[in-house]
Amino acid sequence: LVDAGLSSVLPLAPLTGDLGLITALVERWRPETSTFHMPFGEVTITLEDVATLTRLAIDGDAVIVDIPYEDWSAMCL
């Protein structure tokens, strides 16, 4: 993780928060739309939310792997 520049995720603790809150969020999750159904409308988790929680940078060059085009379907499987 350090060599890849991802050391900021090391101090993240396992999810051990309020089990009632976690249960409520699970019950409100709609996998068909990837959103939470709340009384005030639909909400989703954004890339900015993830960056804030993990302290990972979301700007700069994309991390890519040089894979020949014909190998993409095999890689995705």
Side-chain angles (χ1 to χ4, degrees):
L1 288 174
V2 173
D3 290 344
L6 301 173
S7 59
S8 64
V9 299
L10 290 174
L12 294 177
L15 189 58
T16 58
D18 183 342
L19 294 180
L21 175 61
I22 295 168
T23 300
L25 287 173
V26 167
E27 289 173 354
R28 293 181 176 275
W29 180 250
R30 300 296 181 259
E32 57 278 353
T33 58
S34 297
T35 59
F36 291 99
H37 181 73
M38 302 299 217
F40 48 84
E42 300 288 320
V43 294
T44 191
I45 299 171
T46 66
L47 180 58
E48 185 176 1
D49 296 330
V50 174
T52 301
L53 292 170
T54 61
R55 295 185 303 272
L56 290 173
I58 58 172
D59 56 348
D61 294 333
V63 177
I64 59 171
V65 178
D66 186 20
I67 298 176
Y69 179 78
E70 61 271 0
D71 293 343
W72 278 105
S73 60
M75 184 185 80
C76 290
L77 286 175

